[in-house]
Amino acid sequence: GYKPGRTDGYFSKDAQNALKAFQKKEHLKESGNYDQESYYHLLSAYVYAVGTKSYDPIYSKALSMLK
């Protein structure tokens, strides 16, 4: 994942660098600015992760124990 640093709503330099890394991975302009295009890509990535359940290590471990 990405390391945004603070999680109190302050958009720090760490958060900007994490966003730049995400933008690079998604082939977006690496501005570090939270723009509309970045928003849609972040939202899409989140929805995909939540929908696959593969992001949850506890769920994955439980599933492997049931097999």
Side-chain angles (χ1 to χ4, degrees):
Y2 304 95
K3 304 208 182 308
R6 296 170 64 156
T7 58
D8 59 2
Y10 178 79
F11 197 76
S12 67
K13 190 70 171 170
D14 290 336
Q16 187 178 34
N17 290 336
L19 181 56
K20 282 182 182 180
F22 177 81
Q23 290 169 329
K24 181 177 183 174
K25 178 184 168 284
E26 294 293 313
H27 307 290
L28 303 173
K29 179 181 175 190
E30 297 173 47
S31 65
N33 295 323
Y34 186 65
D35 56 17
Q36 187 172 10
E37 190 173 21
S38 297
Y39 166 79
Y40 285 121
H41 281 258
L42 282 164
L43 181 61
S44 178
Y46 173 76
V47 168
Y48 176 77
V50 170
T52 63
K53 292 189 171 88
S54 64
Y55 74 101
D56 186 343
I58 296 170
Y59 175 82
S60 297
K61 178 68 174 176
L63 190 58
S64 70
M65 291 174 73
L66 291 172
K67 290 183 180 180

